[in-house]
Amino acid sequence: MMRIEINNSFLEITQGDITEQEVEAIVNAANERLIPGGGVDGAIHRKGGPAILEELREKYTHCPTGEAVVTGAGNLKAKYVIHAVGPIYKDGKRGEAELLSRAYRSALERAVELGVKSIAFPALSTGAYGYPIKEASEIALKTILDFLKEKGKPELVRMVLFLEEHYNTFVKVLEELKSNL
Ligand code: AR6
C-alpha cells in the first residue's frame, strides 16, 4: 500500500477488489447505457444485488462519457455507488485523455455533493475499454491530486488496482508525481 498526504487529505494506492472496500462510496466503471457488463461493473452488480440496477432504471436513462451518476450500494459495504463512464480507447487522438480525466473529476464532484469522506476508484477504462495502463495511471493520479489540492476533500481517495502489474505502475507513477508536489 502507498499513501500520501495532500491538503489534509490522503491518496492511497492498494491492490484488491473494489467490492470489498470499507469506504463510503465506490466508483463503478460503467458504460453510457448504464447496462451491467463485465469487469468491475459485473462484480458490483453481482455482489450488490438487484437494487442497484432498479435504482439506475428509476433515475437515469444513460450517462454520457466523462460524467457520473449515483445510486445506493445494495448489499455492499459502501453507502453509495458512483457510476462513472470512462472513454473507449481508440488511438489516443480522440480526446480520450480529457474524457478519462473528466470521468474521475465527475465522480469526485458527486462524492463531495454527497458529503462522503472516503471514496475508492478502480482504474477506469483500463479493462474492456482498452486504455493503456501507464497513460491511464498518469491521468487518474494527476486528476485526483489536482482535485484534492483545489478542494481539500474527500478525506480519503483510494485507488484499488485488481492486477499486480497495474498496482506497480500506479505506485511508480505516483512516486514520480510526488516529487513535483
Ligand atoms: N475490483 C477492482 N478492479 C477490478 C475488479 C474489481 N473487482 N475487476 C476488474 N477490475 P473494466 P472499463 C479492473 O473492464 O475498461 C464493463 O463491461 C480491471 O483489471 O471493468 O472501464 C462495463 O459495463 C481493469 O483494470 O472497465 C463497460 O461496458 C479495470 O478494473 C466496460 O466494461 C477496469 O476494467 C467498461 O470498461
Side-chain angles (χ1 to χ4, degrees):
M1 201 270 269
M2 179 174 177
R3 175 178 165 110
I4 68 163
E5 187 173 356
I6 173 148
N7 201 7
N8 295 318
S9 293
F10 291 96
L11 169 56
E12 289 182 358
I13 301 178
T14 183
Q15 197 186 341
D17 181 341
I18 194 99
T19 63
E20 298 293 330
Q21 301 302 309
E22 303 202 2
V23 289
E24 288 177 84
I26 62 171
V27 177
N28 182 19
N31 55 66
E32 286 194 332
R33 297 169 70 199
L34 302 171
I35 292 173
V40 182
D41 197 13
I44 286 174
H45 283 284
R46 221 168 23 248
K47 283 206 189 170
I52 299 175
L53 183 57
E54 282 162 21
E55 191 177 342
L56 278 174
R57 288 289 156 271
E58 274 166 29
K59 289 190 176 160
Y60 312 104
T61 55
H62 72 293
C63 177
T65 301
E67 296 185 21
V69 300
V70 178
T71 66
N75 304 325
L76 297 169
K77 292 172 188 164
K79 275 193 220 153
Y80 302 104
V81 178
I82 300 175
H83 306 263
V85 182
I88 298 171
Y89 187 88
K90 299 217 175 65
D91 55 9
K93 296 173 184 159
R94 294 158 202 249
E96 291 98 328
E98 173 63 28
L99 289 166
L100 184 59
S101 178
R102 258 199 253 162
Y104 279 93
R105 199 174 170 87
S106 296
L108 290 164
E109 281 165 356
R110 293 297 88 74
V112 169
E113 288 162 12
L114 292 165
V116 302
K117 295 194 169 75
S118 53
I119 179 173
F121 280 92
L124 299 174
S125 288
T126 64
Y129 282 0
Y131 215 113
I133 190 66
K134 177 92 184 334
E135 285 89 327
S137 68
E138 287 167 359
I139 293 163
L141 292 169
K142 279 184 193 161
T143 305
I144 294 166
L145 289 172
D146 283 350
F147 192 91
L148 292 178
K149 270 194 236 171
E150 197 184 311
K151 313 259 181 187
K153 54 190 173 182
E155 280 172 28
L156 172 64
V157 180
R158 181 182 293 156
M159 282 297 319
V160 180
L161 290 316
F162 201 58
L163 305 175
E164 188 178 12
E165 182 207 331
H166 288 183
Y167 172 77
N168 292 335
T169 303
F170 266 77
V171 166
K172 204 169 153 224
V173 168
L174 185 57
E175 292 284 4
E176 287 164 17
L177 292 174
K178 215 172 72 169
S179 39
N180 304 323
L181 281 178

